[in-house]
Each structure stands twice: as C-alpha cells, then as structure tokens.
Amino acid sequence: NIEIVDPTQKPRIGGVCYSENENPSIENNDPYIQYDVLLGKQDIEIYGLTQNTKYYYRAFIFDDSFTNITYGDIKSFTTPNIEYITDGLREIDNVVYKFRPGGKVWYSYNRFENISSVTIPEKITYKGVEYKVTGVNDMQGLTNLNSVYFPNTIDTIADDAFYSCTSLKTINIPSSVKYIGNAFTNTPWKNSIKGFKYINNILFYYGSETASTDDIVVNDGTFLISHSAFFKYRDYKQLTFPSSLQEIGACAFVVASKLTKITFKGTTPPKVKIEDEVFD
C-alpha cells in the first residue's frame, strides 16, 4: 500500500518501480507498474517475484511534459519462502481447482450443476497460501449456465472448457487471454458468430457456411488460429498466413477438399502437431 501526494492536487501519470537493487528507478530499466491517473492511496499488486528475496520500491509521478520524474521514499519488503502445491486437484467451496507449477491454478469445475452465472476469481487461498487463477477447463455440460465472467489473470481457456453449456450467451474475454481452444462448442454464444471472430490477435472461429472469396487471408498480427477454427466452412481454395502466426490448433482446417495453396509471409513457420490433424 502506497500513498502519492501531489502538491498541486492534480491527478498525474505515475506508478511504482521495484528492484532487488537498493535504488530502483525507471532510468535503470527496473520493472515498474504504471497507472494513467495516480493520486492518493493505491493498492498495487506485483506478480512474478522470487521467493525469500528482498525488494526495494518507491512511487513516482511524471510532470505534465513527461520529461521529469519525481520519486518517493525508498521502501522495502522481503518475499516469504512458500511451498506451493504444483499438481493435483483440490476442492474449495464446491469448486474444483487444478494446481499447477508457479503458484498458479486453473478453475476446473463447479459442482453446482444448476448454476446460472460464474464469476471466476483472480486468486484463491488454500491452506494459507495464495494462488493466481490463470486458466479454465472442464466446465462442460452445465446446461443452466448463461454467463461467465473472467478476471484479467486468465491466460488460457482450454479445449472443450464450456462444451455443451447450452444456455451460455454472455462471456467476457480479457486481453490477458493468450490461448482459446474449441472451448465454446455447442453454446449459443459461439453459434451466434457470423464471419471472422478475432479475440486478442487470436483467430478464434469463422462462423459462416460460405465466404465472399475463395482466398482466406488471416489478419496481420494474428499469433494463434484456434482449435477447429474453420470447422464450419470448408470450401476455400487458398490460405494466406501472416508472419506473426506462431501456432495453429487441432483440426483448424479439416476436410478442406478444395484447398490447393498455402502462403506464409514469415520465415519461421507456425507450430502444428501431426497428431492434431490440422490439415486432415
């Protein structure tokens, strides 16, 4: 917890920088957390710290021209030495969590079979130790579930995570998400998609039976094409992939009987697994 006092009482852009060095600063390229409007008391969360390590930190603000930085007093804290659970399933308040390395868990199943709305937490505490929730899976078949709200800690929505949640219409997918599988098959939300659906530079799904062109050109900046992305549409003849593409999910281009040409604009081709039958 910090408090920033601006003599002019104007909100300023600022934040907190931190380091294992005793004199943390932005000029030294030390890590920092920045806020667009910063004034008064702030609670700031820092992730990815090393256990049993002393860190130094101090607040800062920019002036109106962004040329000068004012720093607060240097303070310090030491991280505890924590033994995290790194695998296995545990149940907390009727929710099953899958424990993973690095103090992280996945929200794996809600035992309330008739639940209509789920708000996934950013973190949980189990036996006095705090874990960050970074993924979701195994929520299949909750037929009364109509809305899901993800926190900004989520980076993975696993394959089949919400398969056949036949009432699911409302979801939010935060910018933190880096992988989405065929997580929403047989849900009203996915069935309502028409044309290309991009989420956070992920080509998630093409939701039309036909297209206006035989040449599918994937947007520049796309780094993932999701599992079964073109399962519904199969009549294209050519595919053009951007240089940014890093991975193609399972069954993304299955049964494309007219596909004769693939163009990749980059030099390092995207990852595919033979067993995933990407171009079966």
Side-chain angles (χ1 to χ4, degrees):
N1 181 276
I2 65 166
E3 183 172 1
I4 291 182
V5 178
D6 183 350
T8 66
Q9 295 302 302
K10 290 172 55 179
R12 296 282 185 88
I13 292 178
V16 167
C17 56
Y18 57 97
S19 174
E20 294 181 43
N21 298 318
E22 296 183 4
N23 190 37
S25 69
I26 294 178
E27 293 91 335
N28 291 338
N29 293 318
D30 289 324
Y32 65 91
I33 298 174
Q34 181 170 311
Y35 290 85
D36 289 337
V37 178
L38 191 59
L39 182 65
K41 292 184 178 180
Q42 300 281 341
D43 289 321
I44 293 177
E45 293 188 2
I46 302 174
Y47 294 102
L49 302 178
T50 303
Q51 297 185 49
N52 196 28
T53 301
K54 187 172 184 177
Y55 287 90
Y56 299 87
Y57 70 97
R58 56 178 171 171
F60 65 87
I61 54 173
F62 292 100
D63 63 9
D64 290 336
S65 65
F66 294 95
T67 56
N68 296 307
I69 303 172
T70 300
Y71 288 98
D73 295 335
I74 296 175
K75 299 183 179 181
S76 66
F77 61 89
T78 300
T79 54
N81 190 15
I82 298 173
E83 292 186 10
Y84 289 105
I85 300 171
T86 59
D87 59 20
L89 301 175
R90 306 291 191 280
E91 184 173 328
I92 304 171
D93 297 331
N94 290 302
V95 176
V96 177
Y97 291 92
K98 182 178 182 180
F99 284 73
R100 303 171 67 84
K104 300 175 182 180
V105 298
W106 281 12
Y107 190 109
S108 287
Y109 188 73
N110 193 305
R111 292 197 181 279
F112 291 108
E113 294 182 359
N114 295 321
I115 195 168
S116 61
S117 181
V118 167
T119 299
I120 295 170
E122 291 186 358
K123 53 192 175 184
I124 62 167
T125 299
Y126 183 73
K127 293 187 176 180
V129 179
E130 190 175 273
Y131 297 81
K132 184 165 67 169
V133 181
T134 61
V136 183
N137 69 335
D138 291 339
M139 297 281 284
Q140 302 97 323
L142 296 175
T143 56
N144 291 322
L145 184 64
N146 60 58
S147 60
V148 177
Y149 301 96
F150 298 99
N152 289 324
T153 55
I154 294 290
D155 58 35
T156 301
I157 304 176
D159 291 337
D160 298 325
F162 295 92
Y163 178 80
S164 285
C165 291
T166 52
S167 299
L168 184 56
K169 297 179 180 179
T170 301
I171 64 172
N172 74 304
I173 298 180
S175 59
S176 56
V177 170
K178 304 302 180 186
Y179 181 87
I180 309 173
N182 62 336
F184 300 98
T185 300
N186 200 24
T187 67
W189 179 81
K190 186 173 182 179
N191 292 341
S192 68
I193 295 173
K194 304 299 180 185
F196 288 101
K197 179 68 172 179
Y198 285 89
I199 302 173
N200 302 344
N201 289 327
I202 299 170
L203 175 49
F204 171 67
Y205 190 57
Y206 187 87
S208 300
E209 299 287 352
T210 59
S212 59
T213 177
D214 290 329
D215 184 5
I216 301 297
V217 180
V218 178
N219 285 355
D220 288 340
T222 301
F223 61 80
L224 169 68
I225 298 175
S226 286
H227 189 307
S228 303
F230 284 79
F231 187 81
K232 193 172 185 179
Y233 173 54
R234 306 173 183 181
D235 289 338
Y236 44 86
K237 297 179 181 179
Q238 299 184 50
L239 295 171
T240 301
F241 296 146
S243 60
S244 57
L245 189 62
Q246 300 174 17
E247 183 178 356
I248 304 176
C251 303
F253 299 100
V254 294
V255 199
S257 59
K258 298 180 181 180
L259 178 60
T260 58
K261 182 179 180 180
I262 298 173
T263 301
F264 176 61
K265 295 180 178 180
T267 56
T268 303
K271 295 186 295 183
V272 299
K273 297 178 181 178
I274 294 176
E275 63 270 23
D276 283 349
E277 300 179 338
V278 172
F279 296 101
D280 190 40

